[in-house]
Amino acid sequence: MRIPASRREQGERMLRSGLSRDCVALLAGALPALAFPAPSLWWLAYVGLVPWLLLIRSAGTGRRAALDGWLGGIGYLIAVHHWLMPSLHVFIVVLAALLGLLWAPWGLLVFRILRGPVSVAAAAAAIVVVPCGWLMIELVRSWQGLGGPWGLLGASQWEVAPALRVASVGGVWLVSLLVVAVNTAVALLFVAAAARTVAVVGISVCALAVGAMAQWAPRPEQSGVARIAVVQPGLITGPDSVGRRLAVGERLTRSLAGRDLDLVVWGESSVGVDLSRHPDVTARIAALSRRVGADVLVNMDARQTDGSRRAGIFKSAVLVGPGGLTGQRYDKMRLVPFGEYIPARSVLGWATSLGKAAGEDRLRGTHQVTMSLPGAAGGKGLRIGPLICFESAFPDMSRSLTRDGAQLLVAQSSTSTFQHSWAPEQHASLGALRAAENGRPMVHATLTGVSAVYGPQGERIGAPLGTDTSGAAVFDVPLASGTTLFVRLGDWPVQGAAVVLVAFCAFEGVRSLRRRDRVGPAGAKGDAAPVIASGGGPAGRSGP
């Protein structure tokens, strides 16, 4: 179908207009957010970047392409994290503008490869190099100080079984790489006839690679079943909400008596006092442990003292048995920026006046911990690896716990601040990725929903507890042995992407020097577009 010339010219005029193009760039960057929960249009991830790629290709200059990349990055970040607005207000725009700068070099990279008539060599390079550039963005912004790895594109595929198999080979990084590669190939279908064959081949190679990994990648082998209960009190607000939440948690736990449990898991901040200094509360939870016949993993959000005698507010996963505290405790290591601490508080402390930013910085734990349940899993014992809140977004943390012998990953969370947004579903979905990456089941237990359990291949176990639920649920969780390739090899897709980008930059640099030497000073002002990017044609022309 050919677009009428008048409409095509009208569209070209709109894209030449600075403000109109800026708006289009923001919307193009925001589009892939619909692939994440709650919309969960997972298939959109494979074409959602195409409008953005084509917009960057149409930029007349490298500066405009970098601007398109930056604006699209802002749109992406705001769309994926829009539920933070009640807490951060206008500050979310400032953060998105700063982090969006990571996409400016990517926009320049896309423009350099895709501008002008695209040759076969340029098309082949684009399918490899453009995804590698995207992966570097995800790597940098995954640093905890920049907000952590929330909204990685590959995480949108949490309910797609073949994608979960890919995650077991190269983590969420490899899923992101393949998703962007497919987007790039689809964009090439609209660019030039010479590129279309390469695009079809590229899509076919991606499909074959996924099929091969799904068929031959090591699979976890079932090694037993653990019976895990999740207690979700539901949304409790108003005066003495901490005390009332504890009371509801106790009532729900008592209802689990006689269910032959191995572990009961409460959500993040389920206890508002330091149990070591409140023996009465500890005794109540120990009585619950005796009643249900299983240890209870609670989460303290209170002023405490850690092993090094540091005093302050910690968020801690604490195991309570029939006799009281077992001595097994994990202090949260990676805190939520602005939610649990203010980065550079002396400079940015004013953020507390705009929203619900942390009034006092929480203290960090120093090391990860695996906990032992000697009598669980039919007397064979069970080792669990606790994570707190958005630590479940970090692939390296769950991998480290698995390498340390954890047989079950447990994330305690609370998203009550964002109860009626996309956040609870987004957070719960991360458990599927972590389970598949490590070949270990994962329990995601929250105060107010969504609580969910996933098997060793990322498959959902039982029905989740939604945000409208106050209750307790029991899950028969399959345990697994064996090691996935991701656990063995780690973040190899990121390392490979870095090597590809270094090689590409070196190749482009050497060729640029050779062309400059060949043309000479007199021709320096009129350099033709790089052959790999344009097939030797004028930089401003578009392909058929």
Side-chain angles (χ1 to χ4, degrees), residues 55 90 107 172 179 210 226 273 290 307 370 422 424 430 482 487 533:
L55 180 70
V90 70
V172 67
V179 169
V210 171
V273 298
R290 293 191 295 271
T370 56
W422 294 0
L430 295 174
V487 171

Side-chain angles (χ1 to χ4, degrees), residues 299-318:
N299 190 276
M300 302 187 307
D301 186 357
R303 196 169 299 279
Q304 311 167 47
T305 302
D306 72 350
S308 65
R309 313 309 297 174
R310 290 182 302 158
I313 299 177
F314 288 89
K315 288 199 172 186
S316 306
V318 178

Side-chain angles (χ1 to χ4, degrees), residues 50 53-55 57-58 113-119 122-123 126 183-196 199 533-534 541-544:
V50 173
L53 290 167
L54 294 178
L55 180 70
R57 164 182 154 78
S58 71
I113 297 178
L114 295 184
R115 62 176 174 173
V118 178
S119 67
N183 273 276
T184 307
V186 173
L188 287 169
L189 294 174
F190 297 92
V191 167
R196 287 171 191 150
S534 65
R541 288 180 51 196
S542 299

Side-chain angles (χ1 to χ4, degrees), residues 471-519:
V474 177
F475 301 87
D476 290 319
V477 183
L479 304 176
S481 61
T483 306
T484 65
L485 289 176
F486 175 71
V487 171
R488 294 180 199 171
L489 304 176
D491 302 332
W492 64 266
V494 175
Q495 299 162 5
V499 170
V500 168
L501 288 175
V502 169
F504 175 78
C505 291
F507 176 77
E508 286 289 288
V510 169
R511 192 177 54 181
S512 179
L513 289 174
R514 288 179 177 176
R515 184 169 58 250
R516 187 176 302 171
D517 291 340
R518 186 167 57 249
V519 175

